[in-house]
Amino acid sequence: MAQRKQFRAIKGTRDILPPESALWNRVEQAAREVFAAYGYGEIRLPVFEQTELFAHSVGATTDIVSKEMYSFLDSPVSSTSEPAAATLSLRPEATASVCRAYIEHGMHTWPGNVKLYYIGPMFRRERPQKGRYRQFYQIGAEVLGTADDPAMDAEVVEMLMAFFERIGLAGCTLHINSIGCSNCRPAYVEALRAALAKVKDKLGADSQRRIATNPLRVLDSKLPEEQAVIGKLPRIADYLCAACRKHFAAFQKQLELRGIAYEENWRLVRGLDYYTRTTFEITAPGLGAQDAVCGGGRYDGLVELLGGPPNIKGIGFAIGTDRVILSLQETGRAETEFALDVFIAWAGSAAQQVAIRLARGLRGAGLSVEVPPAETKFRRALDLANRLNARQVVLIGPEELAAGQFTVKQLASGEQVKLVEADLLAHLQKARRRG
Ligand code: HAM
């Protein structure tokens, strides 16, 4: 007989199971609440787009587009009027899609700045390691409009910090930089290229290749043997035009105004081509090499580049949810939540009826309740309740029914009380609030 094939998740993808998924929900819910408080609305985007959209925006020579995208040819369904085959890609990021949607829906006619957030999976064929996956998740936000005030950049960062504080992610560091604009950056890139050409022999193969394709990316190198050479390269701050210099100084002042600590990092150039001026990243503890939990910046020319109206500015970020969860876990801040509020153990058919009625009432009041489908001995029921990580157990047997009182046991402390039905809900809710 042929052996049955067993399937496993594809390399770089994984299943997120309970109870960890409860932590994911808590983190995503916090983002929704914090972002709504800053006036952002959710945008739900497709998971695949035309490959060209990413080539145009993220950049054809970036690692993301040139090596890491999952692309496929989408043949038209025969006998339909669909256009010819197109090359599509699973989205490696969502800023491009947000700009595409902004243009497609004429959002420049909406009042004020358009503030959008998204939550969902992204796909990059990277080498999987701790904190790096091929299907990973981002929580991102973008602001699009005609204004490019540095106060907006700072407010975006303020919102991020408020989110990290809300979920209890401590020990984060904010790194900031300005990478100039189309006026001043070309001169810097040329100066960098010339300086790199002189030290080419001291660089590895990747950096050597990047001298021609994208010299800024050399600054990203983490190779220990390249660090001394990179430290002596020209710095963008010395090449910024007056307008960019003023913008960067005002951004820093706006951060200070908000009491946000930061570190300037002249090597923070980011791996996507669309950035102008402000770039930033946030690192968190407990993550090893992949310690960036968030990256973002300004992309003032992108909407126009994608065929939209001129003069639309943009700024945003994306948080790597996988890494945020990992950091919470590694720093002991992912408190294990009780999987269950109440386990109702019953004995006898009269008790089952009461248990079912009780459970319905408690669930209606928002508690999570488990009622075993078959009668079990109380000792075994308590054992199961423990293993299910229940907070409380309600015991209903003939004795309880006769007395008109239920036995309620708190599993962590072993504390036991007898209660009439009218007092039960308040007692269980109080126990839940105490944690
Ligand atoms: P990014 O820096 O490419 O920026 O990604 C943002 C964050 O996503 C990273 O800091 C990291 O936490 C997470 N991330 C990236 N790749 C992986 C991976 N393979 N596995 C796990 N986590 C990962 C962007 O995507 C831009 N769209 C951000 C942005 C929005 N800029 C302006 N607006």
Side-chain angles (χ1 to χ4, degrees):
M1 205 172 76
Q3 241 197 331
R4 282 210 204 119
K5 184 177 159 102
Q6 282 208 357
F7 296 96
R8 299 184 70 87
I10 306 292
K11 185 177 174 189
T13 75
R14 68 221 166 99
D15 305 304
I16 295 156
L17 310 175
E20 189 185 304
S21 50
L23 180 59
W24 281 73
N25 281 331
R26 180 162 75 77
V27 165
E28 290 175 352
Q29 184 54 26
R32 291 179 189 284
E33 286 168 17
V34 172
F35 295 178
Y38 279 82
Y40 288 68
E42 183 179 7
I43 181 165
R44 297 195 181 206
L45 299 156
V47 166
F48 53 89
E49 299 265 7
Q50 283 186 52
T51 303
E52 256 187 293
L53 172 68
F54 302 114
H56 271 14
S57 53
V58 176
T61 62
T62 58
D63 284 355
I64 295 176
V65 171
S66 66
K67 300 196 242 172
E68 296 169 0
M69 286 211 297
Y70 287 93
S71 300
F72 55 97
L73 193 68
D74 189 33
S75 319
V77 178
S78 57
S79 82
T80 69
S81 54
E82 281 184 39
T87 309
L88 308 181
S89 297
L90 297 185
R91 60 181 186 191
E93 62 106 53
T95 308
S97 302
V98 169
C99 291
R100 195 259 315 132
Y102 179 88
I103 298 164
E104 190 169 333
H105 301 285
M107 289 188 222
H108 63 284
T109 61
W110 293 13
N113 289 313
V114 176
K115 296 174 164 186
L116 302 167
Y117 76 87
Y118 48 86
I119 296 178
M122 310 290 157
F123 307 86
R124 296 181 194 175
R125 196 190 280 106
E126 294 191 85
R127 199 167 41 77
Q129 63 182 86
K130 180 180 172 186
R132 190 157 75 187
Y133 311 98
R134 291 182 169 177
Q135 174 171 338
F136 61 99
Y137 296 82
Q138 285 187 345
I139 298 172
E142 316 286 350
V143 186
L144 290 135
T146 48
D148 63 356
D149 302 82
M152 218 145 72
D153 307 36
E155 193 191 74
V156 162
V157 173
E158 178 191 317
M159 179 170 88
L160 254 172
M161 293 311 194
F163 164 70
F164 285 137
E165 199 177 307
R166 173 82 67 99
I167 60 169
L169 190 78
C172 293
T173 310
L174 167 67
H175 307 262
I176 63 165
N177 192 21
S178 172
I179 59 164
C181 64
S182 54
N183 291 329
C184 53
R185 198 178 329 139
Y188 174 63
V189 172
E190 274 327 300
L192 191 60
R193 192 172 267 140
L196 283 166
K198 287 189 196 144
V199 293
K200 191 173 175 189
D201 300 343
K202 299 193 179 114
L203 298 170
D206 274 347
S207 292
Q208 287 196 5
R209 190 171 36 79
R210 286 179 174 141
I211 298 176
T213 56
N214 195 347
L216 283 175
R217 295 288 293 156
V218 177
L219 303 181
D220 254 0
S221 160
K222 305 256 174 353
L223 286 182
E225 58 275 23
E226 291 185 341
Q227 300 309 306
V229 176
I230 293 173
K232 294 196 198 97
L233 292 169
R235 301 184 174 210
I236 180 92
D238 301 325
Y239 290 80
L240 292 181
C241 60
C244 286
R245 196 170 307 142
K246 191 168 154 221
H247 193 275
F248 192 40
F251 171 49
Q252 294 178 47
K253 197 149 169 255
Q254 284 289 331
L255 289 176
E256 283 150 25
L257 205 75
R258 291 165 163 79
I260 299 171
Y262 60 86
E263 281 179 17
E264 247 188 280
N265 178 357
W266 69 277
R267 287 175 55 179
L268 182 64
V269 290
R270 315 263 308 121
L272 306 93
D273 281 355
Y274 49 62
Y275 290 110
T276 52
R277 294 188 169 168
T278 309
T279 55
F280 58 88
E281 256 176 37
I282 295 173
T283 52
L287 292 172
Q290 304 302 321
D291 65 348
V293 286
C294 173
R298 192 161 263 295
Y299 46 89
D300 289 346
L302 184 55
V303 168
E304 186 173 5
L305 186 76
L306 292 175
N311 297 324
I312 298 297
K313 317 288 198 300
I315 174 140
F317 62 78
I319 297 159
T321 320
D322 308 75
R323 294 184 190 175
V324 165
I325 299 283
L326 222 98
S327 182
L328 287 173
Q329 290 167 333
E330 301 260 324
T331 55
R333 280 163 202 273
E335 80 259 22
T336 44
E337 322 220 341
F338 283 99
L340 198 61
D341 291 314
V342 189
F343 187 101
I344 305 182
W346 55 271
S349 58
Q352 184 186 25
Q353 208 177 346
V354 174
I356 290 168
R357 180 171 51 74
L358 257 187
R360 189 173 302 163
L362 297 176
R363 285 171 178 147
L367 298 177
S368 56
V369 182
E370 180 77 16
V371 185
E375 183 172 329
T376 0
K377 294 247 168 352
F378 280 165
R379 203 160 36 80
R380 279 194 54 202
L382 280 171
D383 180 50
L384 179 60
N386 251 316
R387 288 189 288 127
L388 288 175
N389 198 15
R391 198 190 304 263
Q392 307 260 342
V393 177
V394 178
L395 299 170
I396 315 174
E399 230 175 80
E400 279 79 10
L401 288 182
Q405 284 193 328
F406 305 123
T407 305
V408 182
K409 186 174 171 126
Q410 181 155 20
L411 286 177
S413 64
E415 186 191 333
Q416 200 163 300
V417 288
K418 287 202 181 290
L419 292 173
V420 294
E421 186 171 343
D423 295 336
L424 190 65
L425 177 63
H427 176 84
L428 295 171
Q429 280 176 326
K430 204 163 133 208
R432 186 186 209 206
R433 277 197 297 275
R434 278 205 309 263

